Amino acid sequence: MGVRRRSRRLAAMITVAGLAFGAAACGSGSDSAGSGDPNTLEVWTRSNPDPAATYERVFAAFTRKTGIKIDYQPVINFDQQLQSRASTKDLPDVMINDTALMGSYQSQGLLKSIDPASIEGHDQITDKTWASTVGTDGEHYGIPYSRQAQTLMIRTDWLRKLGLRTPTTWAEMLSVAKAFAERDPDGDGRKDTYGMVVPGSAQNGYAAWWGASFLWSGGAKIIEKDGTGYRPAMDSAAAVRTVTWMKDNLFCGDNGVIQPGAISAITGTATNFQDGNAGMYLTGPYNIATYDATPGKDTYEVVPFPAGPAGSTVLADGENVYFGARTGKAKQEQALAAFLISPEGQRLAMTGKNQPVVRIPVNSTLDAAQVRDDPRWSVVQRAYEDASEQFPNAPDFAPIKQDTADALNAVFTYCGSDVGAGLKELNDTLAGDLKDQDLLK
């Protein structure tokens, strides 16, 4: 397995090196749509049509306010299209995409560094949030736009029917999951319900993404800062204890605690909560609107993740605004960023009939629950502000997340596996990932 991961990592390095070479020459010679007009910005987001409609409304308001036009491109296959553009020495002016991608983009030379002081309203973003945009060289490479943290969606109608309380610890959560699977909470007389939804596939790093909140709350880290670099940390006693608990109690415990096929499920196929046959899902707040429709707003609640041995710390992530590595439109880019983080821009992105594109506002003058008139968003905002941790995004975390997902998925797939040995092998692989980036200490 280590050889396979190493081969993939080296292939990724070759790709990155090629992109960096191509991106280095990106500049004002671009012939992309709108690039000939200094008052037009080409802006990309990773969006399907529903959130894209929200972005359209935000950008239209910006143009009315400033006169700066937006050539907006909602791109579903974002990374593939971005690589194609980088290879032709032509990048978008502005991109809005995941926070965890910053290290990858910066290492490829795709981004301009940013002075926060150049963005009007920068002081309305907290130091904690700004800190997540700092690269390995100490420079900022993104402007925070939206943040979110995972919470537990739970069928409160099932809790009431079975006479159970909302779980506050892992042990209680496991007990509730077993009851949901075994005690017919939907009352149809069949054993066709499951305790918890798990997207446990290694594909696109899902096992690491979903499992991170368990790792954090179990006292484990994937990598840790070490002076000017990082060191792998998945061979710690806390990591072994946490992954063992997950394997024994969720994946290899009593049948029905998690949905069938969880080991190969991604978020797009893990629809059991929405389908009405699973009682809990640790997930992001973007699902709230979907679940309000089905299974229905009156059937479930949003609650904090139950505490593990080290407390209740969940994975946080979100989106940043990135400036493409090109020149000539700095003032227009800064104006757009200032509008996007302003109270007006953030409110527009949080409300409306289409899917919101800002979950927890990065503008500290706003409260998510007040803007949406929905107290459930206070649970999400408190989780982000008080009990969350992001993936380290100064390094290129993509290979680290993928290698972690591969290892976790393998451990969960083979119930006779030696967790300690599997995590020791993962730690060696993570050391290789860090060494490849000259970050191993």
Side-chain angles (χ1 to χ4, degrees), residues 1-9 403 425 428-429:
M1 185 176 297
V3 173
R4 178 176 60 83
R5 292 178 189 161
R6 169 66 64 173
S7 297
R8 187 187 63 240
R9 185 165 62 247
D403 284 335
E425 181 183 356
D428 293 342
T429 303

Side-chain angles (χ1 to χ4, degrees), residues 148-157 159-160 166-167 273 279-292 295-306 314 360 372 374-384:
Q148 61 194 33
Q150 294 192 344
T151 55
L152 188 70
M153 314 288 177
I154 186 166
R155 289 292 296 266
T156 47
D157 58 338
L159 289 174
R160 289 191 296 269
T166 301
F273 193 88
M280 288 182 281
Y281 192 9
L282 175 65
T283 187
Y286 41 80
N287 278 319
I288 289 176
T290 300
Y291 297 157
D292 280 357
K297 187 175 182 179
D298 59 341
T299 69
Y300 80 102
E301 191 52 88
V302 180
V303 301
F305 181 51
V314 293
I360 297 302
R372 293 187 172 90
D374 185 343
R376 296 175 299 177
W377 282 90
S378 289
V379 179
V380 183
Q381 187 153 349
R382 283 197 301 270
Y384 171 70

Side-chain angles (χ1 to χ4, degrees), residues 127-335:
D127 290 343
K128 171 188 173 179
T129 303
W130 268 118
S132 65
T133 67
V134 177
T136 54
D137 58 2
E139 298 286 330
H140 291 270
Y141 285 92
I143 299 130
Y145 179 55
S146 171
R147 291 295 183 267
Q148 61 194 33
Q150 294 192 344
T151 55
L152 188 70
M153 314 288 177
I154 186 166
R155 289 292 296 266
T156 47
D157 58 338
W158 289 9
L159 289 174
R160 289 191 296 269
K161 177 170 176 141
L162 300 180
L164 301 172
R165 295 183 302 177
T166 301
T168 59
T169 67
W170 285 6
E172 292 175 1
M173 180 173 62
L174 184 61
S175 178
V176 168
K178 290 178 179 179
F180 283 171
E182 297 170 356
R183 293 174 54 190
D184 191 24
D186 61 357
D188 67 357
R190 298 192 297 270
K191 192 173 181 180
D192 56 0
T193 55
Y194 309 100
M196 184 183 302
V197 181
V198 173
S201 172
Q203 180 181 334
N204 296 330
Y206 274 112
W209 172 83
W210 171 83
S213 296
F214 284 92
L215 293 174
W216 303 167
S217 296
K221 308 287 185 187
I222 297 176
I223 60 174
E224 287 186 319
K225 196 83 171 68
D226 186 5
T228 58
Y230 294 83
R231 63 180 180 86
M234 279 299 286
D235 63 348
S236 69
V240 173
R241 181 178 62 243
T242 301
V243 175
T244 300
W245 187 94
M246 296 167 71
K247 176 175 82 84
D248 291 348
N249 292 293
L250 301 181
F251 293 88
C252 301
D254 295 340
N255 289 334
V257 172
I258 60 178
Q259 87 279 12
I263 204 71
S264 60
I266 61 174
T267 54
T269 59
T271 60
N272 301 79
F273 193 88
Q274 183 179 356
D275 295 342
N277 60 15
M280 288 182 281
Y281 192 9
L282 175 65
T283 187
Y286 41 80
N287 278 319
I288 289 176
T290 300
Y291 297 157
D292 280 357
T294 51
K297 187 175 182 179
D298 59 341
T299 69
Y300 80 102
E301 191 52 88
V302 180
V303 301
F305 181 51
S312 180
T313 301
V314 293
L315 177 66
D317 53 13
E319 289 78 42
N320 291 333
V321 178
Y322 300 112
F323 295 163
R326 49 184 295 168
T327 60
K329 298 183 182 179
K331 289 185 178 179
Q332 292 89 342
E333 292 166 355
Q334 291 164 4

Side-chain angles (χ1 to χ4, degrees), residues 51 56 59 136 169 252 268 341 363:
E56 292 271 14
F59 295 143
T136 54
T169 67
C252 301
I341 67 172
N363 190 299

